[in-house]
Amino acid sequence: MSFALLAACNSVPKAVGSIDLTSPDGANRMTFILTEAGGPMYSLDHKDISVLEPGVLGFELRGTVKYQGLVYKGDKIEKPDEVPPYMFTEGFEIIGTETASSDETWEPVWGEESSIRNHYNELLVKLRHKADGKLMDIRFRCFNDGLGFRYEFPDGQPLVHFVIKEEMTEFNCAQDNTAWWIPGDYDSQEYQYACTTLTGIPAEFKKHTNQYNSSTTLYSTSCVQTSLQMKTPEGLYVNIHEAALVDYSCMHLVADGKKLRAHLTPDAQGWKGRLETPCVTPWRTVQVAESAEEQLASRLVLNLNEPCALEDVSWIHPVKYMGVWWEMIAGAGNWHYTDAASVKLDDFDYSTATPNGRHSANNDNVRKYIDFAAGNGFDALLVEGWNIGWEEWANCNKDYVFDFVTPYPDFDIDALNGYAHSKGIRLVMHHETSSSVRNYERHMEEAYTLMNRYGYDAVKSGYVGDILPIGEHHYGQWMNNHYLYAVTEAAKHHIMVNAHEAVRPTGLCRTYPNLIGNESAMGTEYQAFGGIAPGHTAILPFTRLNGGPMDYTPGIFEQNLKEWCGNDSHVNSTICGQLALYVTMYSPLQMAADTPEHYSRFMDAFQFIRDVAIDWSESRYLYAEPQDYLVIARKDKNSDSWFLGGVTDEQTRTFSVALDFLEEGRNYEATIYKDAPDADCYENPQAYAIEKSVVSLQDKLELTMVPGGGFAVSFKAL
Amino acid sequence: MSFALLAACNSVPKAVGSIDLTSPDGANRMTFILTEAGGPMYSLDHKDISVLEPGVLGFELRGTVKYQGLVYKGDKIEKPDEVPPYMFTEGFEIIGTETASSDETWEPVWGEESSIRNHYNELLVKLRHKADGKLMDIRFRCFNDGLGFRYEFPDGQPLVHFVIKEEMTEFNCAQDNTAWWIPGDYDSQEYQYACTTLTGIPAEFKKHTNQYNSSTTLYSTSCVQTSLQMKTPEGLYVNIHEAALVDYSCMHLVADGKKLRAHLTPDAQGWKGRLETPCVTPWRTVQVAESAEEQLASRLVLNLNEPCALEDVSWIHPVKYMGVWWEMIAGAGNWHYTDAASVKLDDFDYSTATPNGRHSANNDNVRKYIDFAAGNGFDALLVEGWNIGWEEWANCNKDYVFDFVTPYPDFDIDALNGYAHSKGIRLVMHHETSSSVRNYERHMEEAYTLMNRYGYDAVKSGYVGDILPIGEHHYGQWMNNHYLYAVTEAAKHHIMVNAHEAVRPTGLCRTYPNLIGNESAMGTEYQAFGGIAPGHTAILPFTRLNGGPMDYTPGIFEQNLKEWCGNDSHVNSTICGQLALYVTMYSPLQMAADTPEHYSRFMDAFQFIRDVAIDWSESRYLYAEPQDYLVIARKDKNSDSWFLGGVTDEQTRTFSVALDFLEEGRNYEATIYKDAPDADCYENPQAYAIEKSVVSLQDKLELTMVPGGGFAVSFKAL
């Protein structure tokens, strides 16, 4: 958008000047505008299409509270008056600009490809608030796949400590885009996705909330979470998210018509962030792609994170694991060892307590899992419910809920680790914090040290229930600080972290690659909590996975939970639909979540889980449409094998997949796992066919997926 | 009060029964009443005087919140409805009672005497809430010096996790007593005392607040703090406080006419406590004495605490110390090393920063203090401002404000400790947390380990400014949990703790004798912040010291701060008034707070500070009236020496002190430090006389104190 065009537009404040920043390929153009009132704004075009109309940049800051001790109004004590909030959205002048370009290629420790290109043009606009000399810079980076910008507050200026009332950033969508969204929430990300226009969000909001999120903190029927995937009427794929969320509150988006406004997670007092100069905000990202497949290939969020901060990464590695987990989730077993209503860790004597007989993390059961995992080429076994305290945990307001070091009497931590190690398996530690976060931090050093002692090198942590102290939220600055603390402390112990219920990832795994996984979305467990509609795994790679890998815990082979353990929920996926996820849901941490018994009945299908790689040198996004379908091919980082996966929603879909990604002049043994023609995820989910053939890059595979189904193919180089 | 009497009293609910509990000497009688409505109440008589009329016992509990996810009202999202609060003050039946008696003598690790008698009769009333079967016991202990009671919630009952909306305990004073009080406040105890009737509190409230407490959180003009000293029209001294405040919110008292009601410190959401059965509350204490001197001799609060929890106490010892401190408080020096406006600990380079030239904790100055302290028989030297981060701390909302391990460039921690140890001095560590409590806990283990490495065995900790996360209060359950955590973690490192700005003590030093001091009241520093009215040190032993020793930091010899360093404040005490405090303000931790230069001008008077003991085998409260005067004699625990001290308010007072506490048949060299006749604390505070004589138990000393003055006498056995 040119300055002339802008000035002609009535709905936009009159600008006194503008600066353009284009992407290296020239396709994306960001225009920075300073309005006559000194308000910084920006717009974004892709070729001749307006993606974002001019939108506000800046903050509403808390007015300084004068610490005047007391205020009496008559004889009544009142809180000291707040000085009115301070608008940091206008009154600025430009005191300088800087431009730069960068084109570098970096190698992730693990990832969807072995090297990533980071190529952008940069503009730094230095602003001075005329009235008081306070300084705020805005740094823009324009990539071929979109725009990133952040606020920077330089050192040595009148602004030192400040409190954010709200970030005023607007994403002023040019059109009433189609959006795939989940409700904004300060404490849960575990929702199924809605698909509406931006203006249609409020009308559909209620329908897309759910009853599972006990600590749900919704606040507006027009507020949604990022990463928000959209599609413009022109067919552009536009995604809004953030990158490098460090010491700041997580951003939500409030839809005001087709305009989206930032909405940060508040603290217990309603404030949005407490900052000190010099500091920077997370990057606000606007990815733009001409196709869904291009959007999936974007690494903009990772590129906007800092390079790896760890000197030694030799101890970090992808993990394929099983878990003593699904049987508890489904209800066939328990985490807790006794049925005592109240357990005080310092006083309760587990050695004389009556076991409830349903404790899954017992020696015999764990050995059974170790045997199966070891026999099938797995690296690791997660065991939940191994430590005392599970009798009462989330939402009990209980501070000292776990100690993270004391096993239940029937879990011999020494013997089980010894047994596992003798078979080439590592146990994966589990630290459910029950959101009693201070308690976790108090025990963290000892807990990590215990892991080192017994040879655990990965921990699944959890944050179920209301944050203690009550009033803080899962996605506020206070907690975001904690999650990163847990990761950096873990790194000192050479421990990899997979944090559940933590804030959605924003690419921090580039900087801290020991953060090998997060949940931060509705995962497989909800198949046992009422079921998940097909299509969910076809939207997650656009949204949740945009910021980093998810521990989705795929691989459920027994969909009929009722028959197994009386659970009325049904797993809405075919076996092949589950196999596909190991390719389509990228993660360096992949679980085979079902039980040895269930896998034993389908060992031919299970072979794919044994074979599939978990680290990649190359990824190809062949067919994709959000929430509809995905077909993705990836090349193993450690061999010449390729793997192909496809998932679909409720529709039967057939794709003709050209194998032109294979190496020229080479033959491959293809093993094709596909839904039987009469399969479907509800009535006949276990019907599949396995075919083998020799193929090369000239070949095509015709692959059909039934409703809730999928396919998986391994290509072994001959 | 008999049942018959009670029934005749119109203002009291009709009782269906009552149970009496008397003290071993029969003087105090508690009467437990269950009203017709099933409401537990209690009254207290001393001989034929009613001290407390029947007062309510019990709680208002939070109604359970049904975690129903979301509530829509129309299309608006609302918070889940609170179930109405649950009155736990009536509807009870008595399901059992137990009685017991105890008479034991225990020896404190340090204290005002070498052994303490704990002698009481006990009544346990077991209550069952008829409607729902929930259980609450109330345990009463009746001592010769008063009453203690607490609530106990037994195990194995319908009540498991619960949230307190308010504790409803009433102290229904029979008369409109005179009370010495400071304003109720969630975040400060640093007030001068008011003296009014109970009904006169609101009218005087405003006058007795002050402007120094930047984070003051007052909430009612009729609310006061404990320990609350009162005097009845009949001349009884009645004191209300609490004992063993563990994992619970600190209690304030709201005056409703002459009735006092408990008011607990809230959390960020306004709730007062989060408990889990089995559990007990702190003891509520009502001390009753026929004289002020008797009140001072009461050990009821200590007796209601648990015995020492530490197996090895050999490393705990009283400490007489000096400090690099008063010069910063008065304004002659600074804690901070540079004048940088913003310091981020990870990034700021102190080695190249410009020092402000006013940093007191520098090598030369610390050595000067070490030399003086070592030359005058001290044990230790506190150094504040030794560690990086002081450029910006309290009320900056700054999470990572200190690391507690990195010295400023001009503080050579290794060399200074070596130098100190070579002279028989230990340095006292200082941990100002800036109320960024999570940050302190994150660094605590490393900070204590650093202390062990360099030979520090005591730490002064501080909690200045708003608690982070904002919304929690200094005296709420969350913080009370922290203070005790800091003490128990310190014990593992054989470290003694002196916590400033922490919650007022409630006798926990019996259980954790490494808690050798607290501030928790207005201390000497306020002499540099506007001055303290004489009389303050004559009320503190009745109130603040009732729960444990105070690090009052006495010993200021230069009252004219203006001349010294331009501070307009004046120290309102004579030199002899300061000397007296080493006897009258009991603490195992005694500071000589002034500077070597100031002491050097009065070395004859300073001799008393050198000589005075800091641990006692016996204490005699000879004359006392709250806020007016105190005359106390104490016998050194480690020799045959006695020490005598007296302080007065604005009145000149003369006491004829019989020396009958001295050992029979023995002569003592008495060294008498007394105000000169023309001395006074404002105009002539440094005028004193020192006399020596040989005395025995038949003798009397006639001792006069000028306004704001005092006297001190040492008796060395010949």
Side-chain angles (χ1 to χ4, degrees):
Chain A
M1 178 177 295
S2 72
F3 176 69
L5 243 175
L6 176 72
C9 175
N10 287 333
S11 69
V12 170
K14 207 172 164 194
V16 293
S18 71
I19 309 168
D20 281 357
L21 177 70
T22 53
S23 56
D25 67 359
N28 293 321
R29 184 173 67 256
M30 188 286 297
T31 303
F32 175 82
I33 307 145
L34 194 70
T35 67
E36 278 195 336
M41 299 184 84
Y42 75 110
S43 60
L44 181 65
D45 301 294
H46 179 79
K47 296 180 178 166
D48 57 353
I49 301 169
S50 172
V51 176
L52 300 179
E53 301 278 332
V56 165
L57 294 165
F59 293 86
E60 187 174 4
L61 301 182
R62 182 183 190 177
T64 311
V65 172
K66 301 262 178 245
Y67 286 102
Q68 53 199 1
L70 305 174
V71 177
Y72 284 93
K73 298 202 173 154
D75 274 335
K76 208 160 159 276
I77 300 163
E78 306 255 336
K79 287 193 173 177
D81 288 318
E82 286 278 341
V83 174
Y86 184 90
M87 293 311 299
F88 220 54
T89 47
E90 53 183 31
F92 288 99
E93 61 184 343
I94 296 175
I95 57 169
T97 60
E98 290 174 13
T99 57
S101 292
S102 178
D103 188 1
E104 47 151 12
T105 298
W106 57 279
E107 296 183 356
V109 176
W110 41 258
E112 296 184 73
E113 51 263 304
S114 51
S115 73
I116 294 175
R117 186 176 180 188
N118 185 15
H119 188 199
Y120 59 83
N121 293 325
E122 179 174 286
L123 168 67
L124 179 69
V125 182
K126 299 180 163 195
L127 299 170
R128 181 178 170 279
H129 209 235
K130 284 184 277 187
D132 51 23
K134 290 178 180 170
L135 305 178
M136 177 174 76
D137 300 346
I138 309 177
R139 189 180 298 273
F140 297 91
R141 288 186 181 164
C142 201
F143 300 80
N144 294 345
D145 52 348
L147 174 70
F149 62 90
R150 71 179 181 189
Y151 303 94
E152 304 187 353
F153 297 91
D155 202 3
Q157 60 144 320
L159 195 64
V160 181
H161 300 99
F162 60 104
V163 176
I164 296 172
K165 185 164 192 291
E166 188 59 277
E167 180 179 323
M168 304 303 286
T169 304
E170 290 178 354
F171 304 88
N172 190 3
C173 298
Q175 306 274 359
D176 190 10
N177 299 330
T178 298
W180 289 266
W181 54 269
I182 57 175
D185 189 320
Y186 301 143
D187 290 290
S188 178
Q189 296 147 151
E190 301 180 1
Y191 291 99
Q192 301 202 51
Y193 280 79
C195 177
T196 69
T197 58
L198 290 173
T199 57
I201 290 172
E204 290 290 306
F205 195 87
K206 188 168 173 177
K207 207 181 295 179
H208 290 276
T209 56
N210 69 55
Q211 297 300 312
Y212 294 108
N213 306 307
S214 63
S215 60
T216 291
T217 323
L218 296 164
Y219 40 84
S220 154
T221 56
S222 62
C223 193
V224 300
Q225 301 193 28
T226 74
S227 144
L228 178 70
Q229 182 62 51
M230 297 183 290
K231 188 175 181 179
T232 74
E234 300 90 346
L236 289 182
Y237 291 78
V238 177
N239 187 304
I240 300 179
H241 191 33
E242 60 183 317
L245 173 54
V246 175
D247 202 21
Y248 199 84
S249 292
C250 175
M251 178 177 72
H252 305 72
L253 299 171
V254 175
D256 177 7
K258 61 189 178 61
K259 181 190 285 186
L260 296 164
R261 286 187 282 101
H263 174 103
L264 302 183
T265 307
D267 65 19
Q269 303 300 297
W271 302 104
K272 302 300 186 78
R274 299 169 189 278
L275 273 68
E276 176 193 3
T277 56
C279 58
V280 300
T281 68
W283 293 93
R284 279 63 188 93
T285 62
V286 187
Q287 287 156 289
V288 182
E290 294 185 2
S291 71
E293 295 79 11
E294 244 184 51
Q295 165 59 31
L296 291 175
S298 169
R299 300 291 171 256
L300 187 144
V301 172
L302 284 179
N303 277 328
L304 285 169
N305 275 270
E306 296 298 311
C308 183
L310 308 178
E311 286 198 13
D312 173 17
V313 295
S314 63
W315 49 276
I316 299 172
H317 56 87
V319 177
K320 195 188 288 184
Y321 75 110
M322 294 187 70
V324 180
W325 173 76
W326 180 242
E327 61 184 80
M328 290 98 100
I329 291 285
N334 278 346
W335 287 267
H336 51 291
Y337 172 77
T338 82
D339 287 336
S342 165
V343 160
K344 298 210 155 178
L345 295 193
D346 280 340
D347 300 327
F348 193 84
D349 184 359
Y350 278 102
S351 69
T352 60
T354 308
N356 59 25
R358 288 171 51 80
H359 180 233
S360 294
N362 67 71
N363 292 323
D364 288 347
N365 198 38
V366 173
R367 281 175 194 264
K368 187 189 76 184
Y369 274 84
I370 291 171
D371 290 343
F372 187 86
N376 288 282
F378 284 83
D379 305 311
L381 175 71
L382 167 73
V383 186
E384 295 202 357
W386 69 277
N387 60 320
I388 61 171
W390 283 91
E391 282 72 15
E392 32 158 34
W393 50 297
N395 292 327
C396 290
N397 294 308
K398 182 169 178 166
D399 199 275
Y400 183 30
V401 53
F402 293 112
D403 72 2
F404 308 97
V405 295
T406 308
Y408 275 127
D410 57 350
F411 184 87
D412 186 334
I413 188 169
D414 190 36
L416 288 172
N417 277 284
Y419 185 70
H421 297 164
S422 76
K423 299 206 152 196
I425 295 286
R426 281 195 200 245
L427 297 189
V428 175
M429 176 50 71
H430 187 230
H431 290 167
E432 174 55 49
T433 68
S434 196
S435 294
S436 181
V437 179
R438 178 173 71 176
N439 180 58
Y440 186 38
E441 292 198 7
R442 284 179 178 176
H443 292 88
M444 191 179 278
E445 176 64 21
E446 207 186 332
Y448 286 162
T449 300
L450 180 101
M451 289 178 60
N452 289 155
R453 187 181 321 135
Y454 288 110
Y456 293 83
D457 71 350
V459 59
K460 174 182 173 180
S461 57
Y463 297 88
V464 174
D466 293 337
I467 300 294
L468 294 182
I470 302 282
E472 296 301 328
H473 293 294
H474 279 75
Y475 315 136
Q477 184 182 16
W478 175 259
M479 284 302 299
N480 294 339
N481 178 303
H482 165 80
Y483 303 129
L484 190 53
Y485 177 75
V487 169
T488 54
E489 291 298 301
K492 296 177 187 169
H493 288 265
H494 287 194
I495 287 170
M496 301 179 284
V497 174
N498 164 28
H500 281 225
E501 295 89 23
V503 70
R504 42 197 166 279
T506 56
L508 285 172
C509 57
R510 177 181 178 189
T511 313
Y512 307 100
N514 66 316
L515 177 57
I516 54 168
N518 276 113
E519 184 186 42
S520 309
M522 180 179 281
T524 295
E525 62 184 1
Y526 280 80
Q527 297 282 23
F529 302 162
I532 303 176
H536 186 61
T537 52
I539 178 63
L540 287 175
F542 290 93
T543 54
R544 165 61 186 77
L545 271 58
N546 194 21
M550 176 171 177
D551 184 30
Y552 186 73
T553 68
I556 305 303
F557 277 20
E558 179 50 73
Q559 295 81 2
N560 189 336
L561 305 183
K562 181 94 176 173
E563 197 165 306
W564 171 34
C565 58
N567 182 326
D568 286 331
S569 192
H570 187 272
V571 179
N572 300 325
S573 172
T574 66
I575 283 180
C576 287
Q578 292 290 297
L579 295 183
L581 299 177
Y582 293 86
V583 181
T584 59
M585 293 281 284
Y586 167 68
S587 176
L589 182 74
Q590 286 288 17
M591 188 181 199
D594 213 333
T595 66
E597 289 79 1
H598 295 157
Y599 287 135
S600 298
R601 289 160 44 209
F602 308 97
M603 288 306 286
D604 55 349
F606 188 68
Q607 186 63 40
F608 183 79
I609 299 178
R610 293 185 59 154
D611 292 342
V612 69
I614 47 176
D615 200 10
W616 311 101
S617 58
E618 208 181 328
S619 292
R620 302 280 182 92
Y621 307 92
L622 305 177
Y623 300 101
E625 186 63 16
Q627 217 170 6
D628 289 349
Y629 57 83
L630 292 174
V631 179
I632 299 174
R634 302 190 199 266
K635 182 170 182 294
D636 182 8
K637 197 172 184 175
N638 301 303
S639 79
D640 292 328
S641 296
W642 280 80
F643 295 86
L644 177 70
V647 293
T648 181
D649 55 5
E650 304 254 5
Q651 304 290 318
T652 297
R653 296 181 194 273
T654 301
F655 288 94
S656 175
V657 180
L659 304 184
D660 53 6
F661 49 82
L662 297 175
E663 193 181 337
E664 190 158 5
R666 199 146 182 193
N667 285 330
Y668 293 81
E669 181 191 61
T671 308
I672 303 162
Y673 305 77
K674 59 184 185 181
D675 295 326
D678 62 343
D680 89 53
C681 70
Y682 302 111
E683 300 300 329
N684 192 19
Q686 294 174 333
Y688 57 85
I690 302 175
E691 295 168 8
K692 280 183 193 276
S693 60
V694 174
V695 299
S696 68
L697 85 171
Q698 288 82 11
D699 291 318
K700 286 191 171 193
L701 291 181
E702 194 85 357
L703 295 161
T704 297
M705 306 183 274
V706 303
F711 59 79
V713 185
S714 64
F715 300 92
K716 189 175 173 187
L718 296 174
Chain B
M1 179 178 298
S2 73
F3 177 70
L5 244 174
L6 176 72
C9 174
N10 286 331
S11 69
V12 170
K14 209 172 160 190
V16 293
S18 71
I19 309 166
D20 280 357
L21 176 71
T22 54
S23 56
D25 66 0
N28 293 321
R29 185 173 67 256
M30 187 286 297
T31 302
F32 175 83
I33 307 144
L34 194 71
T35 67
E36 278 195 336
M41 300 184 84
Y42 77 111
S43 61
L44 180 66
D45 302 295
H46 180 78
K47 296 181 179 166
D48 57 352
I49 301 169
S50 172
V51 176
L52 300 179
E53 301 278 333
V56 165
L57 294 165
F59 294 85
E60 187 173 3
L61 301 182
R62 182 183 190 176
T64 311
V65 173
K66 301 261 179 248
Y67 287 102
Q68 53 198 359
L70 306 174
V71 177
Y72 284 93
K73 298 201 174 156
D75 274 335
K76 209 160 158 274
I77 300 163
E78 305 257 336
K79 285 193 175 180
D81 288 319
E82 286 278 342
V83 174
Y86 184 88
M87 292 312 299
F88 220 53
T89 47
E90 52 183 34
F92 288 99
E93 61 183 344
I94 297 175
I95 57 170
T97 60
E98 291 173 13
T99 56
S101 290
S102 179
D103 188 2
E104 46 150 13
T105 298
W106 57 279
E107 297 183 355
V109 176
W110 43 258
E112 296 184 72
E113 50 265 304
S114 51
S115 73
I116 294 175
R117 187 176 179 189
N118 184 15
H119 188 199
Y120 59 83
N121 292 325
E122 179 173 286
L123 169 68
L124 179 69
V125 182
K126 300 181 163 193
L127 299 170
R128 181 179 169 281
H129 210 233
K130 285 184 278 188
D132 52 22
K134 290 177 180 170
L135 305 178
M136 176 175 75
D137 301 345
I138 309 177
R139 189 180 298 272
F140 298 91
R141 288 185 181 165
C142 201
F143 301 79
N144 294 346
D145 52 349
L147 174 70
F149 63 89
R150 72 177 181 189
Y151 303 94
E152 304 187 351
F153 298 91
D155 203 4
Q157 61 144 318
L159 194 64
V160 180
H161 300 98
F162 60 105
V163 177
I164 296 172
K165 184 164 192 291
E166 188 58 277
E167 181 180 321
M168 304 302 286
T169 305
E170 290 179 352
F171 304 88
N172 190 2
C173 298
Q175 307 273 0
D176 190 11
N177 300 329
T178 298
W180 290 266
W181 54 269
I182 57 175
D185 189 320
Y186 301 144
D187 289 290
S188 177
Q189 297 147 152
E190 301 180 2
Y191 291 99
Q192 302 202 52
Y193 279 79
C195 178
T196 68
T197 58
L198 290 173
T199 57
I201 290 171
E204 290 290 306
F205 194 87
K206 187 170 173 177
K207 208 181 294 178
H208 290 275
T209 56
N210 68 55
Q211 298 299 313
Y212 294 109
N213 307 306
S214 62
S215 60
T216 292
T217 324
L218 296 164
Y219 40 85
S220 154
T221 56
S222 63
C223 194
V224 300
Q225 302 192 28
T226 75
S227 145
L228 177 69
Q229 182 62 51
M230 298 183 290
K231 187 176 182 179
T232 73
E234 301 91 347
L236 289 181
Y237 291 78
V238 177
N239 187 304
I240 299 179
H241 191 32
E242 60 183 314
L245 172 55
V246 175
D247 201 22
Y248 199 83
S249 293
C250 175
M251 179 177 72
H252 304 72
L253 299 171
V254 174
D256 176 8
K258 62 189 178 62
K259 181 190 285 185
L260 296 163
R261 286 187 281 102
H263 174 102
L264 302 182
T265 307
D267 66 17
Q269 304 300 298
W271 301 103
K272 302 301 186 78
R274 301 170 188 276
L275 272 67
E276 175 192 3
T277 57
C279 57
V280 300
T281 69
W283 294 93
R284 278 63 188 91
T285 63
V286 187
Q287 286 156 288
V288 182
E290 294 185 2
S291 71
E293 295 79 10
E294 246 183 48
Q295 166 59 31
L296 291 175
S298 169
R299 299 292 171 257
L300 188 144
V301 172
L302 285 178
N303 277 327
L304 285 169
N305 275 269
E306 296 299 311
C308 182
L310 308 178
E311 287 197 15
D312 174 15
V313 295
S314 62
W315 49 276
I316 300 172
H317 56 87
V319 176
K320 196 188 289 183
Y321 75 109
M322 294 186 71
V324 180
W325 173 76
W326 181 242
E327 60 183 82
M328 289 99 100
I329 292 285
N334 277 345
W335 286 268
H336 51 291
Y337 173 78
T338 82
D339 287 336
S342 164
V343 160
K344 298 211 156 180
L345 294 193
D346 279 341
D347 300 326
F348 193 83
D349 184 359
Y350 278 102
S351 70
T352 60
T354 308
N356 59 25
R358 289 171 50 81
H359 180 234
S360 294
N362 67 70
N363 292 322
D364 287 347
N365 198 37
V366 173
R367 281 173 193 265
K368 186 189 75 184
Y369 274 85
I370 291 171
D371 290 342
F372 187 87
N376 288 284
F378 284 83
D379 306 311
L381 175 72
L382 167 72
V383 186
E384 295 201 357
W386 69 277
N387 60 320
I388 61 171
W390 284 91
E391 282 72 14
E392 33 156 34
W393 51 297
N395 293 326
C396 290
N397 293 310
K398 182 168 177 168
D399 199 277
Y400 183 30
V401 52
F402 292 114
D403 72 3
F404 308 96
V405 294
T406 307
Y408 276 128
D410 57 350
F411 184 86
D412 186 335
I413 188 169
D414 190 36
L416 288 172
N417 277 285
Y419 185 70
H421 297 163
S422 76
K423 300 207 150 198
I425 294 287
R426 281 194 199 247
L427 297 188
V428 175
M429 176 49 71
H430 187 231
H431 289 166
E432 173 54 49
T433 68
S434 196
S435 293
S436 181
V437 179
R438 177 174 71 177
N439 181 58
Y440 186 37
E441 292 199 6
R442 284 180 179 176
H443 292 87
M444 190 178 278
E445 176 65 21
E446 205 185 335
Y448 285 162
T449 299
L450 180 101
M451 290 177 61
N452 289 155
R453 187 180 320 135
Y454 288 111
Y456 293 84
D457 71 351
V459 60
K460 173 181 174 179
S461 57
Y463 297 88
V464 175
D466 293 337
I467 300 293
L468 296 181
I470 302 282
E472 296 301 327
H473 293 293
H474 279 74
Y475 314 136
Q477 184 182 17
W478 175 260
M479 283 302 299
N480 293 339
N481 177 304
H482 164 81
Y483 303 130
L484 190 52
Y485 177 74
V487 169
T488 54
E489 290 297 301
K492 295 178 187 169
H493 287 265
H494 287 196
I495 287 170
M496 300 180 284
V497 175
N498 163 28
H500 281 225
E501 295 90 22
V503 70
R504 42 197 167 278
T506 56
L508 285 171
C509 57
R510 178 182 176 187
T511 313
Y512 307 100
N514 66 315
L515 178 57
I516 54 168
N518 277 112
E519 185 187 40
S520 308
M522 180 180 280
T524 295
E525 62 184 0
Y526 280 80
Q527 298 281 23
F529 302 162
I532 303 175
H536 186 60
T537 54
I539 179 63
L540 287 174
F542 289 93
T543 54
R544 165 60 187 79
L545 272 56
N546 194 21
M550 176 171 177
D551 184 29
Y552 186 73
T553 67
I556 305 302
F557 278 19
E558 179 51 70
Q559 294 81 3
N560 189 336
L561 305 183
K562 181 92 177 173
E563 200 166 302
W564 170 34
C565 59
N567 182 327
D568 286 331
S569 192
H570 187 272
V571 179
N572 301 325
S573 173
T574 65
I575 283 181
C576 287
Q578 292 289 297
L579 295 183
L581 300 177
Y582 293 86
V583 181
T584 60
M585 292 282 284
Y586 167 68
S587 176
L589 181 74
Q590 287 288 17
M591 188 182 199
D594 214 334
T595 65
E597 288 79 2
H598 294 158
Y599 288 135
S600 298
R601 289 159 45 208
F602 308 97
M603 289 305 286
D604 56 349
F606 189 68
Q607 186 64 39
F608 182 79
I609 300 179
R610 293 186 59 154
D611 292 343
V612 69
I614 47 176
D615 200 10
W616 311 102
S617 59
E618 209 181 329
S619 292
R620 302 281 182 91
Y621 307 92
L622 305 177
Y623 299 100
E625 187 63 18
Q627 217 170 6
D628 289 349
Y629 56 85
L630 293 173
V631 179
I632 298 173
R634 303 189 198 266
K635 181 169 184 293
D636 182 8
K637 198 172 184 174
N638 301 302
S639 80
D640 292 327
S641 297
W642 281 81
F643 295 86
L644 177 70
V647 293
T648 181
D649 55 5
E650 306 254 3
Q651 304 289 318
T652 297
R653 295 182 195 272
T654 300
F655 288 94
S656 176
V657 180
L659 304 184
D660 53 5
F661 48 83
L662 296 176
E663 193 181 335
E664 192 160 2
R666 199 148 184 193
N667 285 331
Y668 293 80
E669 181 191 62
T671 308
I672 303 162
Y673 304 77
K674 58 184 186 182
D675 296 325
D678 61 343
D680 87 55
C681 71
Y682 303 110
E683 300 300 329
N684 192 20
Q686 293 174 334
Y688 58 85
I690 301 174
E691 294 167 7
K692 277 183 196 277
S693 60
V694 173
V695 297
S696 68
L697 86 171
Q698 287 83 10
D699 292 319
K700 286 193 169 192
L701 292 180
E702 193 87 357
L703 295 160
T704 297
M705 305 183 275
V706 302
F711 59 79
V713 186
S714 62
F715 300 91
K716 190 174 173 189
L718 296 174

